Amino acid sequence: MRVLVIGSGAREHALCVALQSDPAVTALACAPGNAGTVTLAQAFPLDVADPVAVSALATEWQADLVVIGPEVPLVAGAADAVREAGIACFGPSAQAAQIEGSKAFAKHVMTAAGVPTAGFWAVGGPAELETALDEAGAPYVVKDDGLAAGKGVLVTTDRAAAVAHGKAVLDAGHSVLIEEFLDGPEVSLFALSDGTTVVPLLPAQDHKRRDDGDGGPNTGGMGAYAPLPWAPAGLVEEVRATVLQPTIDEMARRGEPFSGLLYAGLALTSRGVRVVEFNARFGDPETQVVLPLLETPLAGLLNAAATGTLADQPPLRWRDGAAVTVVVAADGYPERPRLGDPITGADGEGVLHAGTAVGADGQVHSAGGRVLSVTAVGADLAAARQTVYERLASVRLAGAHWRTDIGLAAVEGRITV
Ligand code: AMP
Ligand code: GLY
């Protein structure tokens, strides 16, 4: 099987690592890729936001399966274009990707499917904004309705800041969603689907804030671990039955079947499981910890999701132990990341590349806000954490910062449900 991965982050590097170890894969490409993916997959320049360019590359390279990493090409219709070219594609149609592309759409699907989520107010103008904030009460949750790479959300008790963020989103021409505040620990649960069958993967936890102790602004994700030693027994089955399967069924009922990866961002609140958001793709950085624990060959699974045959797959096999990943961010991330700095030590074991490129001088340098995702697997979470932070010690990038507490609260038993 010739597999083409679309994207250029650490998620795509992790996908390439897992796909390369599947004996069914005879050739691997990753477009546009980064300085890490080029070591194991052919690279091609590509504007991922251009569906015609994605399908043309898939056709020229004679791909048997295209795996689309990021949300932008999905929302733009890349999976539709690839399928129209007669090539199997792992990733939902543009219409189905609206479950991530529009938070309001996702809320309508959840309401119709009876899926538990935060109460919400859709806001189209400044007057409605004040009314919605009054009704919701503090802490305020103010969201950009469109794609914002995890950075369009403000959670605050400061009314003036909530109003300012809402107005900034409205001024940018987007609508705003005000939500009921959800307490409790967050869980990311991924599920493969072929439009009918749902196969959940292992639950993981992201760390979205920039700084240790969950301080600083929201980011695209600063680190993750899996599985969750504190998760209640039966959580995955409960979420499959009450969230994932009803959502997949509702999408099919609407004539917009969802095939690909359905990512449920959940809060385990005092009143039960609630969906915070859906994404239409593998999460980053959670993929970097879920895939190293998966023993079932990945290409066969993704191909089964793409071709409607997931129900024929045997149960997934997972290795024992735990995985941790820590994101190395550029100076100034998330507001104004500084790019173009040389990186050394980025070729060690477990080092996945995100925003990196090879310069004219042949050296690896930073080319994005999240630069690396350093990953380790261990017998348990504490062991994986120890190894990952040892590995980080050999990375050199001027001004780089990373969290030192990824998975720490779980190791110390400080997460209660
Ligand atoms: P989202 O882009 O919807 O995933 O939101 C990003 C982050 O903001 C989430 O991971 C949560 O940490 C936080 N968040 C989003 N919605 C809520 C909510 N309703 N209540 C509390 N925190 C939230
Ligand atoms: N881990 C957050 C995301 O992928 O959206």
Side-chain angles (χ1 to χ4, degrees):
M1 194 183 337
R2 294 174 61 83
V3 184
L4 168 63
V5 176
I6 304 298
S8 60
R11 164 185 52 208
E12 287 75 23
H13 195 177
L15 283 163
C16 285
V17 170
L19 289 165
Q20 193 203 29
S21 71
D22 182 338
V25 175
T26 52
L28 187 61
C30 181
N34 60 38
T37 64
V38 295
T39 63
L40 58 165
Q42 267 179 276
F44 298 96
L46 178 69
D47 174 4
V48 300
D50 179 355
V52 176
V54 173
S55 77
L57 174 62
T59 303
E60 275 163 37
W61 191 70
Q62 300 185 330
D64 300 305
L65 174 68
V66 177
V67 177
I68 300 182
E71 60 277 19
V72 167
L74 292 168
V75 169
D80 308 79
V82 169
R83 282 191 276 265
E84 273 161 33
I87 298 169
C89 187
F90 181 81
S93 67
Q95 277 201 335
Q98 284 303 305
I99 202 153
E100 170 167 4
S102 164
K103 290 180 188 291
F105 175 83
K107 288 291 193 188
H108 292 307
V109 171
M110 285 187 263
T111 305
V115 167
T117 184
F120 67 102
W121 294 259
V123 168
E128 290 168 46
L129 177 63
E130 297 280 359
T131 314
L133 291 171
D134 288 341
E135 289 179 14
Y140 303 106
V141 180
V142 185
K143 297 191 175 186
D144 185 330
D145 182 46
L147 282 185
K151 288 169 259 178
V153 179
L154 182 69
V155 181
T156 180
T157 52
D158 178 344
R159 172 76 177 224
V163 171
H165 183 64
K167 285 194 170 148
V169 172
L170 290 169
D171 287 347
H174 299 189
S175 34
V176 169
L177 210 62
I178 304 298
E179 278 189 10
E180 169 199 359
F181 176 77
L182 299 175
D183 61 349
E186 287 185 44
V187 173
S188 301
L189 185 63
F190 300 166
L192 305 172
S193 181
D194 56 9
T196 309
T197 301
V198 173
V199 178
L201 306 185
L202 282 186
Q205 190 176 49
D206 188 6
H207 295 58
K208 290 214 165 91
R209 301 290 190 124
R210 184 189 60 195
D211 303 332
D212 279 3
D214 292 329
N218 259 324
T219 69
M222 294 298 290
Y225 64 97
L228 309 176
W230 47 267
L235 176 70
V236 171
E237 175 49 26
E238 179 191 344
V239 175
R240 191 200 62 74
T242 62
V243 172
L244 300 166
Q245 190 71 57
T247 300
I248 292 296
D249 292 348
E250 170 61 19
M251 294 295 285
R253 198 195 58 76
R254 288 172 173 248
E256 295 161 10
F258 185 100
S259 85
L261 191 123
L262 182 62
Y263 163 145
L266 307 163
L268 307 195
T269 77
S270 45
R271 290 173 295 127
V273 174
R274 297 283 184 278
V275 174
V276 177
E277 62 165 348
F278 280 127
N279 292 317
R281 44 148 183 105
F282 278 102
D284 189 340
E286 297 94 317
T287 301
Q288 292 92 294
V289 291
V290 172
L291 293 184
L293 298 172
L294 179 67
E295 282 183 343
T296 307
L298 184 65
L301 270 181
L302 301 186
N303 194 53
T307 56
T309 56
L310 263 185
D312 305 335
Q313 293 290 308
L316 300 185
R317 286 181 288 110
W318 297 98
R319 62 180 282 178
D320 292 336
V324 177
T325 194
V326 179
V327 170
V328 175
D331 189 25
Y333 178 79
E335 291 92 354
R336 278 175 305 281
R338 196 177 75 202
L339 312 182
D341 289 312
I343 309 165
T344 55
D347 49 3
E349 199 178 344
V351 179
L352 298 169
H353 287 228
T356 66
V358 181
D361 57 359
Q363 297 295 304
V364 176
H365 59 79
S366 58
R370 291 191 292 179
V371 182
L372 303 171
S373 184
V374 180
T375 305
V377 174
D380 59 19
L381 191 49
R385 263 180 53 79
Q386 175 156 5
T387 306
V388 89
Y389 284 108
E390 282 164 13
R391 288 177 178 174
L392 271 157
S394 32
V395 171
R396 293 278 176 278
L397 166 65
H401 59 96
W402 57 80
R403 283 181 61 158
T404 66
D405 65 346
I406 304 300
L408 183 60
V411 169
E412 293 180 344
R414 285 189 278 116
I415 304 183
T416 48
V417 185

